[in-house]
């Protein structure tokens, strides 16, 4: 069991992370150039295979064991009327995950991934962050450690997601604290609040930013002040994956906000993480831009639950299937010579 | 065996097409509203299921039998040095498809689709379209009929793609003839021509537009003047699918250009067709915009072979898995009541 003892201990881990395996990504690129297609014609599919190899350290990379981790938590801020659903829905949806009835159950099966749902003290919502830090330092570190330990060392890829009524408010506040702009810039409709709900959400974020003005210099203190247990766990899991050089697919707005403090601590901390999609939640596109992450798909989804990551996983599988299964020019007897070496050319 | 006898006979078919099944898409929307997720939170995934049902005429729709049809043809214009590869590569790649070594073989298997490759008179390239119509009326109609007959009546979905060295030049010329703007607007690098090759390609297109100025009022004559057999077959297959109300996934630039004459004949002719992706080929994004088609993915691919369609098929499968497999609010015991009915709200 991992035991983080302080923000500064965790910060130390973030500043001492391994890099990838350039030899593995170079081997992927070398094979790509021999396959029966024009150079680079599979576009990002080729980049994805190289990225997987770079972190896994073997070429070709593997997607035999893929885990989807969905962390769930509850948020004190729901008392302020920031969500379209009551807080009870978090636990109800965790039961739905266990029974196999949620979107992520279907998407995980369709993409050939194992699903693990990790509820985090659902009976202890975070504090109302307009009046106190959402989590104490110790609560935050315990949730981050739970996420850290959830990553299986022999995974080929980890997909991260969340469930938590109220957590788009937490994520928006976290993003505002890290990147500026306040509630007006970052609050969106989440599960579907109306105009009044959106106005409340913006006001709540602005009050919280004022209350926590003293910690806005410290990314981990920000994560504890505004985030929740599921966000802390996603941060911990992302760190665990990086330490073990396991590539990560990030889901939507909440998931991206959860890992943003890592990027603030050190710019390349998310090099092993890929944005699976850009969600319809208002702040996500901006947040990805702040972090320099280019999403794989853009389908107007805004469900959470790692649903965007699970859909994007199919694209990684398609990319890998091409890389491992295609014939080379030599094997297939296809000409890879430019036209002007192979036949005379009439004047254009 | 279908036998089209004239452009005007084919035009008549295009102007007398069945519409979809609104009752089936309405039934899909009705079920979506009961599933355990916020309304519309699966975004385009929900639209895709409704679209499939609308054309298939049953709810839920099915993706049990999906066929990928790849048509191949050769182009006389390759003599003018418009491609990075020699014309022989078309037949070599058809052999590679048969042997299972191409990208589309891997992608079709990964997406659970059957692949059929239909070479069209590869030993008879089209005429050099700077000096004559690429295909005579009868040649064009025969290729369109071959495409028409390739669509299996009991298919749940057809994915269309192509292989043909030189065919991005044909597609760009076709798009220019339909939508204006000349070679400078529509020519791209195709399989990877250099600056000189791109300049030649533009000049070839502009010469061809001048030569065929007399037919630019007639979409089918344009298709014959600039297109190739594989483009004509894609047009025929798209028409066959519409007549049988089978939904279609279109691949990239060449495939989209091939069906563009149908949209010019009647605006809604492509209502049963979805753009699988936007390719890296320069003109594709513009062409999709001209046709009002919104691509599902944007991954910088530019291979053809129906590769973009096969990748996007995974997204359709994910969408359908959610629709058919998810629990309803009632089944799962999840609250679908708005928060303000379920619990009192503090002032925001």
């Amino acid at each position: 069991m991992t035991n983080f003892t302080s923000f500064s201990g965790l910060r130390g881990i973030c500043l001492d992370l391994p890099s990838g395996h350039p030899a593995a990504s170079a081997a992927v690129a070398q094979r790509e150039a021999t396959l029966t297609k024009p150079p680079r014609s599979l576009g990002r599919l080729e980049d994805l295979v190289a990225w997987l190899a770079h972190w896994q350290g073997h070429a070709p990379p593997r997607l035999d064991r893929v885990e989807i981790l969905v962390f769930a938590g509850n948020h004190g801020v729901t008392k302020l009327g920031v969500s379209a659903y009551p807080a009870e829905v978090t636990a109800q949806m965790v039961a739905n995950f266990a029974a196999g009835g949620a979107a992520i159950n279907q998407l995980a099966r369709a993409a050939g991934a194992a699903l693990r749902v990790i509820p985090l003290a659902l009976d202890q919502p975070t504090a109302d962050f307009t009046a106190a830090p959402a989590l104490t330092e110790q609560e935050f570190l315990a949730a981050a450690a739970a996420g850290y330990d959830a990553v299986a060392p022999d995974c080929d890829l980890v997909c991260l997601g969340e469930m938590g009524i109220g957590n788009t408010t937490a994520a928006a506040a976290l993003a505002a604290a890290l990147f500026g702009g306040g509630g007006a810039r970052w609050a969106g409709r989440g599960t579907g609040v109306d105009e009044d709900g959106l106005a409340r959400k913006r006001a709540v974020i602005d009050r919280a930013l004022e209350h926590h003005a003293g910690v806005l210099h410290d990314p981990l203190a920000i994560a504890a002040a505004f985030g929740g247990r599921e966000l802390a766990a996603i941060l911990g899991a992302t760190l665990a994956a990086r330490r073990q050089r396991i590539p990560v697919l990030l889901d939507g707005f909440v998931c991206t906000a959860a890992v943003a403090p890592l990027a603030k601590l050190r710019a390349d901390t998310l090099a092993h993480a890929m944005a699976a999609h850009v969600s319809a939640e208002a702040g996500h596109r901006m947040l990805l831009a702040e972090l320099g992450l280019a999403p794989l798909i853009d389908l107007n989804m805004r469900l959470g639950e790692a649903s965007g990551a699970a859909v994007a996983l199919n694209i990684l599988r398609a990319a890998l299937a091409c890389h491992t299964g295609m014939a080379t020019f030599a094997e297939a007897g296809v000409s890879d010579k430019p036209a002007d070496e192979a036949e005379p050319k009439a004047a254009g």
Side-chain angles (χ1 to χ4, degrees), chain A residues 59-84:
Chain A
R62 290 186 287 253
L63 290 172
D64 298 333
R65 182 168 174 190
V66 177
E67 286 216 338
I68 299 174
L69 303 178
V70 176
F71 299 99
N74 269 321
H75 296 262
V77 75
T78 54
K79 287 186 303 190
L80 305 182
V82 294
S83 176

Side-chain angles (χ1 to χ4, degrees), chain A residues 287-303:
Chain A
L287 184 56
L288 292 172
E290 291 279 7
L291 296 170
L293 294 172
L296 288 172
I297 51 177
D298 179 1
L299 294 169
N300 213 28
M301 296 168 68
R302 52 175 177 78
L303 176 59

Side-chain angles (χ1 to χ4, degrees), chain A residues 69-161:
Chain A
L69 303 178
V70 176
F71 299 99
N74 269 321
H75 296 262
V77 75
T78 54
K79 287 186 303 190
L80 305 182
V82 294
S83 176
Y85 289 83
E88 288 74 20
V89 167
T90 303
Q92 290 168 354
M93 283 302 297
V94 166
N96 195 23
F97 297 145
I104 190 57
N105 299 99
Q106 325 314 317
L107 294 172
R109 189 183 313 117
L115 172 63
R116 273 203 300 149
V117 178
I118 298 138
L120 298 159
L122 296 189
D123 56 343
Q124 296 166 50
T126 59
D128 166 5
F129 61 52
T130 63
L135 297 169
T136 66
E137 181 168 356
Q138 288 312 310
E139 286 170 336
F140 174 83
L141 295 169
Y148 196 97
D149 289 338
V151 174
D154 55 348
C155 255
D156 297 319
L157 176 76
V158 178
C159 301
L160 297 176

